[in-house]
PDB file of all heavy atoms in Angstrom:
ATOM      1  N   PHE A 204      18.959  24.723   0.684  1.00 90.00           N
ATOM      2  CA  PHE A 204      18.038  25.251  -0.323  1.00 90.00           C
ATOM      3  C   PHE A 204      18.706  25.476  -1.679  1.00 90.00           C
ATOM      4  O   PHE A 204      18.052  25.423  -2.709  1.00 90.00           O
ATOM      5  CB  PHE A 204      17.396  26.555   0.171  1.00 90.00           C
ATOM      6  CG  PHE A 204      16.262  26.297   1.128  1.00 90.00           C
ATOM      7  CD1 PHE A 204      16.410  26.535   2.485  1.00 90.00           C
ATOM      8  CD2 PHE A 204      15.058  25.782   0.671  1.00 90.00           C
ATOM      9  CE1 PHE A 204      15.371  26.282   3.361  1.00 90.00           C
ATOM     10  CE2 PHE A 204      14.016  25.529   1.537  1.00 90.00           C
ATOM     11  CZ  PHE A 204      14.174  25.779   2.899  1.00 90.00           C
ATOM     12  N   ARG A 205      20.033  25.755  -1.684  1.00 91.00           N
ATOM     13  CA  ARG A 205      20.688  26.064  -2.956  1.00 91.00           C
ATOM     14  C   ARG A 205      21.341  24.837  -3.587  1.00 91.00           C
ATOM     15  O   ARG A 205      21.494  24.773  -4.792  1.00 91.00           O
ATOM     16  CB  ARG A 205      21.765  27.136  -2.730  1.00 91.00           C
ATOM     17  CG  ARG A 205      21.227  28.492  -2.370  1.00 91.00           C
ATOM     18  CD  ARG A 205      20.809  29.246  -3.640  1.00 91.00           C
ATOM     19  NE  ARG A 205      20.030  30.420  -3.329  1.00 91.00           N
ATOM     20  CZ  ARG A 205      20.569  31.585  -2.980  1.00 91.00           C
ATOM     21  NH1 ARG A 205      21.868  31.709  -2.894  1.00 91.00           N
ATOM     22  NH2 ARG A 205      19.800  32.614  -2.713  1.00 91.00           N
ATOM     23  N   ILE A 206      21.747  23.883  -2.759  1.00 90.00           N
ATOM     24  CA  ILE A 206      22.522  22.751  -3.289  1.00 90.00           C
ATOM     25  C   ILE A 206      21.754  21.433  -3.187  1.00 90.00           C
ATOM     26  O   ILE A 206      21.490  20.770  -4.182  1.00 90.00           O
ATOM     27  CB  ILE A 206      23.866  22.593  -2.534  1.00 90.00           C
ATOM     28  CG1 ILE A 206      24.627  23.910  -2.538  1.00 90.00           C
ATOM     29  CG2 ILE A 206      24.682  21.451  -3.130  1.00 90.00           C
ATOM     30  CD1 ILE A 206      25.124  24.335  -3.890  1.00 90.00           C
ATOM     31  N   VAL A 207      21.356  21.077  -1.960  1.00 92.00           N
ATOM     32  CA  VAL A 207      20.807  19.739  -1.735  1.00 92.00           C
ATOM     33  C   VAL A 207      19.434  19.582  -2.385  1.00 92.00           C
ATOM     34  O   VAL A 207      19.210  18.664  -3.172  1.00 92.00           O
ATOM     35  CB  VAL A 207      20.736  19.425  -0.226  1.00 92.00           C
ATOM     36  CG1 VAL A 207      20.168  18.039  -0.012  1.00 92.00           C
ATOM     37  CG2 VAL A 207      22.120  19.525   0.392  1.00 92.00           C
ATOM     38  N   LEU A 208      18.512  20.520  -2.072  1.00 92.00           N
ATOM     39  CA  LEU A 208      17.153  20.386  -2.615  1.00 92.00           C
ATOM     40  C   LEU A 208      17.133  20.424  -4.148  1.00 92.00           C
ATOM     41  O   LEU A 208      16.503  19.562  -4.760  1.00 92.00           O
ATOM     42  CB  LEU A 208      16.246  21.475  -2.037  1.00 92.00           C
ATOM     43  CG  LEU A 208      15.608  21.142  -0.689  1.00 92.00           C
ATOM     44  CD1 LEU A 208      14.680  22.271  -0.263  1.00 92.00           C
ATOM     45  CD2 LEU A 208      14.847  19.834  -0.737  1.00 92.00           C
ATOM     46  N   PRO A 209      17.813  21.379  -4.787  1.00 90.00           N
ATOM     47  CA  PRO A 209      17.790  21.369  -6.257  1.00 90.00           C
ATOM     48  C   PRO A 209      18.306  20.058  -6.845  1.00 90.00           C
ATOM     49  O   PRO A 209      17.752  19.557  -7.822  1.00 90.00           O
ATOM     50  CB  PRO A 209      18.703  22.536  -6.638  1.00 90.00           C
ATOM     51  CG  PRO A 209      18.653  23.439  -5.476  1.00 90.00           C
ATOM     52  CD  PRO A 209      18.513  22.561  -4.279  1.00 90.00           C
ATOM     53  N   SER A 210      19.369  19.491  -6.235  1.00 90.00           N
ATOM     54  CA  SER A 210      19.889  18.228  -6.775  1.00 90.00           C
ATOM     55  C   SER A 210      18.884  17.104  -6.603  1.00 90.00           C
ATOM     56  O   SER A 210      18.861  16.155  -7.373  1.00 90.00           O
ATOM     57  CB  SER A 210      21.191  17.826  -6.068  1.00 90.00           C
ATOM     58  OG  SER A 210      21.996  18.932  -5.858  1.00 90.00           O
ATOM     59  N   ALA A 211      18.069  17.203  -5.548  1.00 91.00           N
ATOM     60  CA  ALA A 211      17.173  16.085  -5.228  1.00 91.00           C
ATOM     61  C   ALA A 211      15.808  16.233  -5.878  1.00 91.00           C
ATOM     62  O   ALA A 211      14.945  15.365  -5.708  1.00 91.00           O
ATOM     63  CB  ALA A 211      17.032  15.952  -3.718  1.00 91.00           C
ATOM     64  N   ILE A 212      15.589  17.309  -6.629  1.00 90.00           N
ATOM     65  CA  ILE A 212      14.240  17.568  -7.154  1.00 90.00           C
ATOM     66  C   ILE A 212      13.643  16.409  -7.956  1.00 90.00           C
ATOM     67  O   ILE A 212      12.491  16.034  -7.734  1.00 90.00           O
ATOM     68  CB  ILE A 212      14.206  18.890  -7.962  1.00 90.00           C
ATOM     69  CG1 ILE A 212      14.021  20.037  -6.964  1.00 90.00           C
ATOM     70  CG2 ILE A 212      13.062  18.914  -8.969  1.00 90.00           C
ATOM     71  CD1 ILE A 212      13.983  21.389  -7.589  1.00 90.00           C
ATOM     72  N   PRO A 213      14.400  15.765  -8.854  1.00 89.00           N
ATOM     73  CA  PRO A 213      13.788  14.637  -9.571  1.00 89.00           C
ATOM     74  C   PRO A 213      13.320  13.537  -8.616  1.00 89.00           C
ATOM     75  O   PRO A 213      12.273  12.929  -8.837  1.00 89.00           O
ATOM     76  CB  PRO A 213      14.920  14.127 -10.475  1.00 89.00           C
ATOM     77  CG  PRO A 213      15.832  15.280 -10.614  1.00 89.00           C
ATOM     78  CD  PRO A 213      15.765  16.029  -9.331  1.00 89.00           C
ATOM     79  N   GLY A 214      14.084  13.308  -7.534  1.00 90.00           N
ATOM     80  CA  GLY A 214      13.689  12.299  -6.553  1.00 90.00           C
ATOM     81  C   GLY A 214      12.423  12.697  -5.818  1.00 90.00           C
ATOM     82  O   GLY A 214      11.552  11.870  -5.548  1.00 90.00           O
ATOM     83  N   ILE A 215      12.325  13.980  -5.497  1.00 92.00           N
ATOM     84  CA  ILE A 215      11.124  14.466  -4.822  1.00 92.00           C
ATOM     85  C   ILE A 215       9.917  14.340  -5.742  1.00 92.00           C
ATOM     86  O   ILE A 215       8.821  13.975  -5.323  1.00 92.00           O
ATOM     87  CB  ILE A 215      11.329  15.926  -4.361  1.00 92.00           C
ATOM     88  CG1 ILE A 215      12.454  15.971  -3.318  1.00 92.00           C
ATOM     89  CG2 ILE A 215      10.051  16.499  -3.789  1.00 92.00           C
ATOM     90  CD1 ILE A 215      12.872  17.362  -2.931  1.00 92.00           C
ATOM     91  N   LEU A 216      10.156  14.616  -7.028  1.00 92.00           N
ATOM     92  CA  LEU A 216       9.097  14.458  -8.021  1.00 92.00           C
ATOM     93  C   LEU A 216       8.631  13.004  -8.084  1.00 92.00           C
ATOM     94  O   LEU A 216       7.433  12.726  -8.188  1.00 92.00           O
ATOM     95  CB  LEU A 216       9.634  14.892  -9.390  1.00 92.00           C
ATOM     96  CG  LEU A 216       8.662  15.627 -10.295  1.00 92.00           C
ATOM     97  CD1 LEU A 216       8.094  16.843  -9.601  1.00 92.00           C
ATOM     98  CD2 LEU A 216       9.350  16.031 -11.587  1.00 92.00           C
ATOM     99  N   THR A 217       9.579  12.075  -8.002  1.00 91.00           N
ATOM    100  CA  THR A 217       9.220  10.648  -7.968  1.00 91.00           C
ATOM    101  C   THR A 217       8.288  10.384  -6.796  1.00 91.00           C
ATOM    102  O   THR A 217       7.273   9.693  -6.944  1.00 91.00           O
ATOM    103  CB  THR A 217      10.486   9.774  -7.816  1.00 91.00           C
ATOM    104  OG1 THR A 217      11.452  10.209  -8.756  1.00 91.00           O
ATOM    105  CG2 THR A 217      10.164   8.317  -8.039  1.00 91.00           C
ATOM    106  N   ALA A 218       8.621  10.949  -5.641  1.00 93.00           N
ATOM    107  CA  ALA A 218       7.792  10.756  -4.451  1.00 93.00           C
ATOM    108  C   ALA A 218       6.378  11.259  -4.699  1.00 93.00           C
ATOM    109  O   ALA A 218       5.386  10.590  -4.366  1.00 93.00           O
ATOM    110  CB  ALA A 218       8.409  11.474  -3.252  1.00 93.00           C
ATOM    111  N   VAL A 219       6.269  12.439  -5.320  1.00 95.00           N
ATOM    112  CA  VAL A 219       4.946  13.020  -5.575  1.00 95.00           C
ATOM    113  C   VAL A 219       4.156  12.161  -6.563  1.00 95.00           C
ATOM    114  O   VAL A 219       2.971  11.888  -6.363  1.00 95.00           O
ATOM    115  CB  VAL A 219       5.092  14.460  -6.111  1.00 95.00           C
ATOM    116  CG1 VAL A 219       3.738  15.026  -6.507  1.00 95.00           C
ATOM    117  CG2 VAL A 219       5.744  15.345  -5.061  1.00 95.00           C
ATOM    118  N   ILE A 220       4.834  11.686  -7.607  1.00 94.00           N
ATOM    119  CA  ILE A 220       4.133  10.885  -8.616  1.00 94.00           C
ATOM    120  C   ILE A 220       3.647   9.561  -8.027  1.00 94.00           C
ATOM    121  O   ILE A 220       2.519   9.132  -8.268  1.00 94.00           O
ATOM    122  CB  ILE A 220       5.046  10.627  -9.835  1.00 94.00           C
ATOM    123  CG1 ILE A 220       5.381  11.959 -10.513  1.00 94.00           C
ATOM    124  CG2 ILE A 220       4.373   9.706 -10.824  1.00 94.00           C
ATOM    125  CD1 ILE A 220       6.439  11.856 -11.585  1.00 94.00           C
ATOM    126  N   LEU A 221       4.490   8.927  -7.203  1.00 92.00           N
ATOM    127  CA  LEU A 221       4.072   7.675  -6.561  1.00 92.00           C
ATOM    128  C   LEU A 221       2.861   7.929  -5.663  1.00 92.00           C
ATOM    129  O   LEU A 221       1.929   7.121  -5.609  1.00 92.00           O
ATOM    130  CB  LEU A 221       5.223   7.091  -5.733  1.00 92.00           C
ATOM    131  CG  LEU A 221       6.387   6.493  -6.526  1.00 92.00           C
ATOM    132  CD1 LEU A 221       7.506   6.075  -5.597  1.00 92.00           C
ATOM    133  CD2 LEU A 221       5.921   5.309  -7.361  1.00 92.00           C
ATOM    134  N   SER A 222       2.873   9.079  -4.962  1.00 95.00           N
ATOM    135  CA  SER A 222       1.739   9.416  -4.104  1.00 95.00           C
ATOM    136  C   SER A 222       0.471   9.589  -4.927  1.00 95.00           C
ATOM    137  O   SER A 222      -0.613   9.170  -4.504  1.00 95.00           O
ATOM    138  CB  SER A 222       2.007  10.697  -3.327  1.00 95.00           C
ATOM    139  OG  SER A 222       3.240  10.617  -2.672  1.00 95.00           O
ATOM    140  N   MET A 223       0.611  10.225  -6.108  1.00 95.00           N
ATOM    141  CA  MET A 223      -0.559  10.380  -6.975  1.00 95.00           C
ATOM    142  C   MET A 223      -1.183   9.021  -7.275  1.00 95.00           C
ATOM    143  O   MET A 223      -2.397   8.857  -7.229  1.00 95.00           O
ATOM    144  CB  MET A 223      -0.152  11.026  -8.301  1.00 95.00           C
ATOM    145  CG  MET A 223       0.222  12.477  -8.216  1.00 95.00           C
ATOM    146  SD  MET A 223       0.795  12.962  -9.872  1.00 95.00           S
ATOM    147  CE  MET A 223       0.688  14.696  -9.759  1.00 95.00           C
ATOM    148  N   GLY A 224      -0.336   8.056  -7.581  1.00 94.00           N
ATOM    149  CA  GLY A 224      -0.824   6.712  -7.873  1.00 94.00           C
ATOM    150  C   GLY A 224      -1.608   6.134  -6.709  1.00 94.00           C
ATOM    151  O   GLY A 224      -2.678   5.554  -6.884  1.00 94.00           O
ATOM    152  N   ARG A 225      -1.053   6.306  -5.489  1.00 94.00           N
ATOM    153  CA  ARG A 225      -1.746   5.784  -4.302  1.00 94.00           C
ATOM    154  C   ARG A 225      -3.106   6.443  -4.128  1.00 94.00           C
ATOM    155  O   ARG A 225      -4.097   5.790  -3.802  1.00 94.00           O
ATOM    156  CB  ARG A 225      -0.927   6.046  -3.016  1.00 94.00           C
ATOM    157  CG  ARG A 225       0.256   5.189  -2.763  1.00 94.00           C
ATOM    158  CD  ARG A 225       0.010   3.853  -2.074  1.00 94.00           C
ATOM    159  NE  ARG A 225      -1.048   3.708  -1.107  1.00 94.00           N
ATOM    160  CZ  ARG A 225      -0.859   3.598   0.204  1.00 94.00           C
ATOM    161  NH1 ARG A 225       0.326   3.663   0.712  1.00 94.00           N
ATOM    162  NH2 ARG A 225      -1.877   3.395   1.000  1.00 94.00           N
ATOM    163  N   ILE A 226      -3.151   7.761  -4.314  1.00 96.00           N
ATOM    164  CA  ILE A 226      -4.407   8.494  -4.112  1.00 96.00           C
ATOM    165  C   ILE A 226      -5.456   8.027  -5.117  1.00 96.00           C
ATOM    166  O   ILE A 226      -6.598   7.729  -4.770  1.00 96.00           O
ATOM    167  CB  ILE A 226      -4.183  10.010  -4.265  1.00 96.00           C
ATOM    168  CG1 ILE A 226      -3.222  10.518  -3.196  1.00 96.00           C
ATOM    169  CG2 ILE A 226      -5.505  10.757  -4.185  1.00 96.00           C
ATOM    170  CD1 ILE A 226      -2.736  11.933  -3.436  1.00 96.00           C
ATOM    171  N   ILE A 227      -5.048   7.953  -6.384  1.00 95.00           N
ATOM    172  CA  ILE A 227      -6.007   7.608  -7.433  1.00 95.00           C
ATOM    173  C   ILE A 227      -6.529   6.190  -7.259  1.00 95.00           C
ATOM    174  O   ILE A 227      -7.690   5.903  -7.492  1.00 95.00           O
ATOM    175  CB  ILE A 227      -5.354   7.784  -8.820  1.00 95.00           C
ATOM    176  CG1 ILE A 227      -5.136   9.271  -9.072  1.00 95.00           C
ATOM    177  CG2 ILE A 227      -6.211   7.177  -9.912  1.00 95.00           C
ATOM    178  CD1 ILE A 227      -4.332   9.570 -10.300  1.00 95.00           C
TER     179      ILE A 227
END
Side-chain angles (χ1 to χ4, degrees):
Chain A
F204 280 106
R205 292 278 168 83
I206 307 292
V207 180
L208 274 183
S210 319
I212 276 179
I215 296 172
L216 217 56
T217 312
V219 174
I220 296 171
L221 288 175
S222 309
M223 289 175 162
R225 284 275 327 253
I226 297 169
I227 291 172

